[in-house]
Amino acid sequence: MRHLSTKATCNSHGQDSSYFLGWEEYEKNSYDKVQNPKGIIQMGLAENQLSFDLLESWLEKNPEPAGFKRDGKSIFRELALFQDYHGLPAFKKALVEFMAEIRGNRVSFDPNHMVLTAGATSANETLMFCLAEPGEAFLLPTPYYPGFDRDLKWRTGVEIVPIHCTSSNDFQITETALEAAYYEAQQCNLRVKGVLVTNPSNPLGTTLSRSELNLLISFITTKGIHLISDEIYSGTVFSSPGFVSVMEVLKDRNCDKSEVWDRVHIVYSLSKDLGLPGFRVGAIYSNDDMVVAAATKMSSFGLVSSQTQYLLSALLSDKKFTKNYISENQKRLKNRQNMLVMGLKRAGISCLKSNAGLFCWVNMRHLLRSDTFEAEMELWKKIVYDVRLNISPGSSCHCTEPGWFRVCFANMTEETLDLAIKRLKDFVVEHTANGHSKSNNSSKKSKRKLLPKWVLRLRDRDHEPDER
Amino acid sequence: MALNKNQQLLSKIATNDRHGENSPYFDGWKAYDKNPYHPIDNREGVIQMGLAENQLCFDLIQKWIRGNPKASICTAEGVHEFKNIAIFQDYHGFKEFRQAVANFMGKARGGRVTFDPDRIVMSGGATGANETVMFCLANPGDAFLVPSPCYPAFDRDCGWRTGVQLIPVNCDSSNNFLITKAALEAAYERAQQDNINVKGLILANPSNPLGTVLDRDTLRSLVSFINEKKIHLVSDEIYAASVFSTPSFVSVSEIIEEMECDRDLIHIVYSLSKDMGLPGFRIGIVYSYNDAVVNCGRKMSSFGLVSSQTQHLLASMLSDDEFVDNFLKENSERLAKRHSLFTKGLEKVGITCLKSNAGLFVWMDLRRLLKEQTLESEMTLWRVIINEVKLNVSPGSSFHCSEPGWFRVCFANMDDVTVEVALERIRVFVEKQQVKSKRKFQSNLKLSFTSRRYDESVMSPHMMSPRSPLVRART
């Protein structure tokens, strides 16, 4: 161990956090309808599994990209040799057009300003390497994607300073919070290089409002810093208000020739919108030529496989397919989200009102023993081990308020989601009845403890028959 | 010079030169891009001999792909796997993929060693693998020794974002460019005196640009050196299966089986870009005997995982023993034939190369064509070769070679006819030179470089130029 780097021996990769521990438990005891019906249901994985049939049917109709062919001729050799870090031009063109389509063609993108990377993981890290020195900082609104601790900080040495958002205003970013974060950074002697937001938000599942976007642009203009907008979930917006990209707001403010234009960068990926995380397709989009140039060179460390670029360039160039996919995918996500929201409601659990993403931001504050993170952890462990649902506790997302959980809904069948909801409902009933939550005072608790569980269960008229 | 606003807004890494692409050596690539050779459309164009690609065995791979539609997730036979593969982003990689790669690596070493699939860690090509290994082993400011001449992009891969410095250990023709323990000791001592913390030794075996394999004795002395000093050994074995004649390849993995060694210090970097000719698929491997490095490297592989689509294809291909055995044999034979064709052709015109048995290039000796044994003369000669002979070859200085006059010339990225054209051009050139040397050497070329130090910022032929012909020709 003494021979290795500091990076290898620290834990900034963040994998010791609860976010990943839940996964480990799931790995040990995974739910399977037939093989392991009592296993843990994975609800901590933000995957989109709802629209594979659309992709599969496209593949069936389009055999050429599969066989490394174009117009009947084999292009295997060209693809096998193609390692140009500028990327396959046809792919970049198709990708920027896809991005524009998702934004209702209200903005357009130039393929020459796009850099391909091995997933958004690599895109975010690369931007840090380009924009900040070790020890400098980026401001991020909380709660945020747990993987950012690894992606933005680990090998780059960059620090994250949180912009605290709370449920008092549905976790929206406020000017006060921005200024407070900036000030906090300065107090810690950290030079702030920019703000990074995820829009739509992970874990909130909400899109940033125009006023928030305007606020951000004004803020970075005043401070002379960067803004990174990770728009990885842009294609998963399924209801109003629609998606507004930071580029649209810049355009509306006539910023395209101004200085701030060069300091706004977008990160994208096909892992969520198309449900293809295995293919490692990420992108950085920047208006700044120097950022594009530097990021392009760095992309050598994580280029997208030419085999994959070629397949996807064919897929995304099929406009009929993309139009249908985008709308159908959104419909299915909407239905699925609604299923979860309604199911939770029946269990007396509310969620933050959301219009995007592959998850809900669920409010279980009323189930906490106390308004603390210890209580949140306690509740979380019960949900993982007893209820057997792997969901993500808000603390793993750096939420400042205990009691919030991110629950994914698009990575399983409807049947499994139903089961998960039932399990949660049963748990809530029992949990409330047993006086574990704050809402039941301790006086009730001692009496309840004396009654056997089966008696309590009889009170629940909605009690489902035991699983087979 | 005051930093412009952009430079202040961007990091030092983003604005410095350690990516190595601003060197004058770009001229060779520019010449090629402006005027690429084509056997029909542009017979007077520049022939690309600066690109170490293996284009000799695509037919074998294509045949296999055609015969194995299940290996593709897009064919009717394979599409049922599409979903499972499309969602697979586990940084452990597919077990079948790791097993297949371990199998291939073992076969490339004649079955003399076996590799543990659980030590196979993915990366974004060998480029990503080398960087990842450095992130795991060294802190910013630490150093690695590297025998020179060496692959030019080591500086970028090992040092650009990691902050690690590379200290060249010069080898020269006096002993056929062998690495000696004495040279290593001297370099190590100097570094100690300069207060530089040496964390290890990195080398490529088979060597780029030499095309030679390390002999057993040298390997043993390297392993004992690093053990003694308690520093790491990173062996980039990217050309392991591109060995085409004797002596056979000896991997560090074999050496540690036969001598005392702290295995925590031994790491191998591999890739399928050279041996299989698949640089576009970005298949890089970190193989470490150190558990902590495997663990850390695996977490870091998130930054450069191999596309699951590609993993799936290669898992299938490389577990086909019949295919692999035949491929390794054919590849070796075709490289041998091409190497022989080229070197014999050079000999006919009195040009010798370092005796080599591996790689996709030869290390050509043009010292006698230099006006003076200086770097400047080498550059002059190089510009003549590009502009008059119309061959893009790589000058030795771009590989940090301390002896002027050597050039790396690639031979596996073209067909036989083009090789003949290249040889003919060389023949003509050499004959002209012999006539010229009788008179005063005149050059009407502009010398556009300055006397910069060439041990930094060198261009790598290993990197594709921003103006790759593949981009233009096949959009």
Side-chain angles (χ1 to χ4, degrees):
Chain A
M1 280 301 220
R2 68 189 186 282
H3 291 309
L4 304 182
S5 66
T6 315
K7 287 180 183 66
T9 50
C10 69
N11 66 354
S12 302
H13 48 73
Q15 249 173 260
D16 301 332
S17 93
S18 54
Y19 183 71
F20 295 100
L21 292 174
W23 285 50
E24 280 169 25
E25 279 313 303
Y26 166 76
E27 297 292 325
K28 282 190 243 170
N29 181 20
S30 311
Y31 168 79
D32 180 281
K33 183 176 163 190
V34 173
Q35 312 277 20
N36 190 17
K38 292 207 199 298
I40 299 177
I41 297 175
Q42 175 64 284
M43 304 190 89
L45 191 49
E47 270 175 6
N48 180 0
Q49 295 192 22
L50 304 187
S51 304
F52 278 116
D53 59 311
L54 301 177
L55 293 164
E56 283 157 4
S57 95
W58 184 90
L59 287 169
E60 272 155 34
K61 299 196 193 96
N62 294 269
E64 280 221 330
F68 296 104
K69 285 205 181 78
R70 184 173 49 212
D71 303 328
K73 257 188 70 195
S74 170
I75 53 163
F76 174 78
R77 182 197 188 99
E78 285 88 333
L79 284 178
L81 294 173
F82 188 82
Q83 57 171 333
D84 183 346
Y85 58 25
H86 289 92
L88 211 59
F91 178 53
K92 292 210 316 197
K93 179 170 178 286
L95 188 56
V96 298
E97 285 170 1
F98 184 67
M99 285 173 71
E101 200 178 342
I102 286 174
R103 290 154 183 73
N105 290 309
R106 292 180 297 275
V107 279
S108 65
F109 297 93
D110 176 359
N112 294 320
H113 283 267
M114 166 168 283
V115 180
L116 297 174
T117 60
T121 300
S122 179
N124 280 313
E125 189 195 45
T126 297
L127 271 177
M128 288 300 110
F129 273 123
C130 289
L131 304 179
E133 306 298 339
E136 293 182 337
F138 261 74
L139 308 181
L140 266 68
T142 63
Y144 63 76
Y145 164 54
F148 277 150
D149 289 324
R150 173 197 61 192
D151 300 350
L152 306 180
K153 293 171 29 169
W154 187 20
R155 308 191 306 180
T156 61
V158 171
E159 297 291 345
I160 294 176
V161 175
I163 302 165
H164 297 291
C165 300
T166 66
S167 59
S168 62
N169 69 340
D170 290 339
F171 295 93
Q172 293 202 30
I173 303 169
T174 63
E175 189 168 358
T176 317
L178 276 170
E179 292 289 353
Y182 192 85
Y183 178 74
E184 193 191 322
Q186 292 187 314
Q187 292 301 103
C188 298
N189 267 321
L190 295 170
R191 182 168 169 213
V192 176
K193 286 314 272 288
V195 179
L196 187 150
V197 297
T198 308
N199 178 29
S201 161
N202 174 10
L204 303 176
T206 53
T207 48
L208 286 178
S209 61
R210 257 180 207 278
S211 57
E212 281 171 288
L213 287 166
N214 272 307
L215 172 63
L216 285 165
I217 291 170
S218 302
F219 182 76
I220 64 154
T221 306
T222 316
K223 303 284 193 254
I225 60 179
H226 297 275
L227 175 62
I228 299 173
S229 181
D230 184 338
E231 302 188 347
I232 195 176
Y233 291 99
S234 49
T236 66
V237 180
F238 48 77
S239 65
S240 64
F243 177 60
V244 181
S245 167
V246 68
M247 287 300 175
E248 283 179 62
V249 178
L250 279 174
K251 208 171 134 199
D252 292 343
R253 281 165 78 133
N254 295 314
C255 287
D256 35 339
K257 294 294 173 272
S258 72
E259 253 188 60
V260 73
W261 182 249
D262 287 349
R263 292 203 306 274
V264 176
H265 323 280
I266 290 180
V267 164
Y268 188 55
S269 161
L270 297 179
S271 300
K272 309 295 178 183
D273 291 348
L274 281 187
L276 307 172
F279 289 1
R280 314 316 301 144
V281 178
I284 294 170
Y285 188 90
S286 175
N287 295 311
D288 183 326
D289 289 334
M290 280 187 77
V291 172
V292 172
T296 302
K297 294 178 177 73
M298 289 190 192
S299 68
S300 296
F301 298 111
L303 296 172
V304 179
S305 168
S306 59
Q307 179 191 19
T308 303
Q309 287 190 57
Y310 183 62
L311 170 65
L312 295 176
S313 75
L315 182 81
L316 296 181
S317 307
D318 184 339
K319 301 299 182 203
K320 198 159 156 237
F321 168 80
T322 56
K323 185 160 181 241
N324 178 56
Y325 182 94
I326 291 171
S327 82
E328 187 56 35
N329 182 46
Q330 285 167 359
K331 251 189 235 143
R332 296 179 186 188
L333 286 169
K334 184 178 185 177
N335 284 340
R336 194 55 87 80
Q337 182 252 23
N338 190 55
M339 220 181 119
L340 178 61
V341 170
M342 289 294 129
L344 290 173
K345 197 171 170 191
R346 284 194 298 272
I349 298 176
S350 66
C351 305
L352 181 71
K353 188 166 183 320
S354 68
N355 64 329
L358 310 173
F359 32 73
C360 286
W361 188 235
V362 178
N363 182 357
M364 299 211 225
R365 287 180 296 172
H366 59 298
L367 298 175
L368 292 186
R369 186 196 292 279
S370 58
D371 191 20
T372 62
F373 285 110
E374 287 75 20
E376 179 184 283
M377 270 297 112
E378 211 184 286
L379 177 60
W380 177 66
K381 285 193 179 127
K382 280 209 187 91
I383 296 177
V384 171
Y385 294 104
D386 297 345
V387 190
R388 287 155 292 124
L389 303 176
N390 180 32
I391 63 178
S392 311
S395 49
S396 69
C397 303
H398 301 276
C399 187
T400 41
E401 264 174 50
W404 293 89
F405 291 79
R406 189 191 78 167
V407 180
C408 299
F409 55 70
N411 64 311
M412 63 196 71
T413 61
E414 267 191 29
E415 213 183 327
T416 310
L417 182 58
D418 247 336
L419 174 60
I421 292 169
K422 275 186 193 104
R423 285 188 187 175
L424 199 49
K425 198 151 170 261
D426 290 347
F427 167 74
V428 170
V429 167
E430 196 184 315
H431 188 85
T432 324
N434 283 350
H436 285 286
S437 61
K438 296 198 296 301
S439 52
N440 277 306
N441 290 325
S442 47
S443 56
K444 283 191 192 166
K445 222 162 120 181
S446 42
K447 274 193 200 157
R448 293 279 181 254
K449 265 188 182 161
L450 297 172
L451 294 170
K453 280 190 182 162
W454 66 268
V455 173
L456 294 168
R457 282 226 175 98
L458 285 174
R459 298 175 193 234
D460 180 1
R461 284 197 203 101
D462 290 336
H463 176 68
E464 298 296 331
D466 282 340
E467 303 154 41
R468 184 173 62 79
Chain B
M1 185 183 79
L3 289 172
N4 66 40
K5 208 156 196 181
N6 245 338
Q7 285 174 311
Q8 285 171 331
L9 279 180
L10 301 180
S11 66
K12 292 196 187 89
I13 289 175
T15 49
N16 70 19
D17 267 351
R18 280 199 79 181
H19 47 73
E21 287 182 39
N22 285 341
S23 86
Y25 300 101
F26 242 86
D27 294 352
W29 288 73
K30 284 181 194 148
Y32 172 77
D33 284 335
K34 269 194 266 191
N35 185 19
Y37 170 80
H38 188 274
I40 297 160
D41 301 334
N42 189 15
R43 298 173 64 172
E44 299 307 311
V46 176
I47 298 177
Q48 175 64 281
M49 304 191 88
L51 193 47
E53 278 176 351
N54 180 356
Q55 295 194 23
L56 305 185
C57 291
F58 283 127
D59 58 314
L60 301 176
I61 298 177
Q62 280 182 261
K63 183 169 172 220
W64 188 92
I65 290 176
R66 268 194 296 270
N68 291 269
K70 267 175 79 176
S72 164
I73 45 173
C74 312
T75 55
E77 295 87 341
V79 76
H80 62 279
E81 284 293 315
F82 179 83
K83 179 178 157 170
N84 290 333
I85 291 172
I87 54 177
F88 188 82
Q89 58 172 332
D90 181 347
Y91 61 27
H92 289 82
F94 284 124
K95 186 148 177 235
E96 300 80 5
F97 173 70
R98 287 183 283 114
Q99 282 168 340
V101 171
N103 181 45
F104 187 78
M105 287 173 72
K107 283 181 185 280
R109 289 153 184 75
R112 294 180 298 274
V113 274
T114 54
F115 291 88
D116 177 0
D118 291 336
R119 288 193 180 280
I120 301 268
V121 169
M122 297 181 288
S123 60
T127 300
N130 280 314
E131 188 193 50
T132 294
V133 169
M134 289 298 137
F135 270 127
C136 290
L137 303 181
N139 291 320
D142 287 342
F144 261 71
L145 302 177
V146 57
S148 303
C150 72
Y151 168 54
F154 268 158
D155 194 47
R156 174 197 64 186
D157 299 351
C158 302
W160 187 23
R161 305 191 307 180
T162 60
V164 170
Q165 30 175 339
L166 290 185
I167 298 174
V169 179
N170 291 323
C171 307
D172 60 49
S173 60
S174 62
N175 67 342
N176 286 323
F177 295 92
L178 287 178
I179 308 163
T180 62
K181 200 163 181 192
L184 285 173
E185 294 278 2
Y188 186 83
E189 285 315 313
R190 261 197 314 276
Q192 297 289 96
Q193 280 160 22
D194 291 342
N195 259 322
I196 296 173
N197 186 24
V198 175
K199 283 313 276 288
L201 168 66
I202 180 168
L203 47 79
N205 177 31
S207 162
N208 173 8
L210 303 177
T212 52
V213 298
L214 287 177
D215 61 274
R216 207 171 216 97
D217 285 338
T218 304
L219 269 167
R220 292 175 70 95
S221 77
L222 292 178
V223 171
S224 78
F225 171 77
I226 57 117
N227 261 286
E228 204 186 300
K229 304 281 190 256
K230 293 194 183 18
I231 61 177
H232 295 277
L233 175 61
V234 180
S235 182
D236 182 340
E237 302 189 346
I238 197 176
Y239 292 101
S242 303
V243 180
F244 47 79
S245 64
T246 53
S248 59
F249 174 57
V250 182
S251 163
V252 70
S253 56
E254 296 173 56
I255 298 294
I256 60 175
E257 295 297 332
E258 45 182 75
M259 66 184 277
E260 279 286 316
C261 175
D262 179 358
R263 290 186 174 217
D264 277 349
L265 300 174
I266 307 290
H267 323 276
I268 293 177
V269 160
Y270 189 56
S271 162
L272 297 181
S273 298
K274 307 296 178 183
D275 289 346
M276 291 195 76
L278 306 172
F281 290 5
R282 312 318 300 149
I283 301 156
I285 304 290
V286 173
Y287 189 94
S288 175
Y289 289 89
N290 180 322
D291 290 344
V293 173
V294 170
N295 250 297
C296 178
R298 193 184 283 134
K299 291 180 176 73
M300 288 188 181
S301 69
S302 294
F303 298 110
L305 295 173
V306 177
S307 167
S308 56
Q309 179 192 17
T310 302
Q311 286 185 52
H312 181 69
L313 175 68
L314 269 307
S316 196
M317 201 187 292
L318 299 184
S319 32
D320 182 341
D321 280 331
E322 204 188 310
F323 167 79
V324 170
D325 291 338
N326 182 56
F327 182 90
L328 290 172
K329 176 168 159 290
E330 268 301 315
N331 187 41
S332 209
E333 283 172 11
R334 294 180 190 188
L335 283 170
K337 206 164 150 217
R338 181 53 74 80
H339 173 265
S340 175
L341 173 69
F342 193 63
T343 49
K344 291 205 161 71
L346 289 175
E347 272 165 30
K348 282 206 188 94
V349 293
I351 293 182
T352 56
C353 300
L354 182 71
K355 188 166 184 315
S356 67
N357 65 326
L360 310 173
F361 32 72
V362 291
W363 189 234
M364 192 165 72
D365 183 357
L366 297 184
R367 286 175 294 170
R368 65 179 179 84
L369 296 182
L370 293 186
K371 186 176 173 206
E372 290 161 354
Q373 297 303 311
T374 62
L375 222 42
E376 286 78 5
S377 287
E378 178 182 287
M379 291 303 291
T380 306
L381 177 59
W382 180 59
R383 287 186 204 283
V384 168
I385 297 175
I386 293 173
N387 296 318
E388 288 184 16
V389 191
K390 302 235 178 51
L391 302 175
N392 182 30
V393 301
S394 310
S397 44
S398 65
F399 300 89
H400 303 290
C401 186
S402 52
E403 220 177 273
W406 294 89
F407 290 78
R408 189 193 77 168
V409 184
C410 299
F411 56 69
N413 61 314
M414 62 194 68
D415 58 29
D416 282 340
V417 173
T418 311
V419 174
E420 296 292 354
V421 174
L423 285 171
E424 178 60 18
R425 290 186 187 180
I426 293 172
R427 186 189 65 76
V428 167
F429 171 69
V430 169
E431 280 170 10
K432 246 170 53 187
Q433 291 303 104
Q434 279 162 352
V435 169
K436 265 190 184 157
S437 68
K438 292 186 177 134
R439 307 190 224 122
K440 188 178 169 186
F441 180 77
Q442 273 181 339
S443 168
N444 60 355
L445 297 164
K446 283 184 244 160
L447 296 179
S448 58
F449 69 93
T450 57
S451 53
R452 294 154 110 182
R453 281 173 47 223
Y454 291 108
D455 55 338
E456 54 185 43
S457 63
V458 292
M459 189 210 84
S460 160
H462 198 69
M463 294 183 300
M464 290 290 275
S465 94
R467 287 163 294 280
S468 157
L470 293 167
V471 175
R472 283 221 302 269
R474 323 228 184 270
T475 303

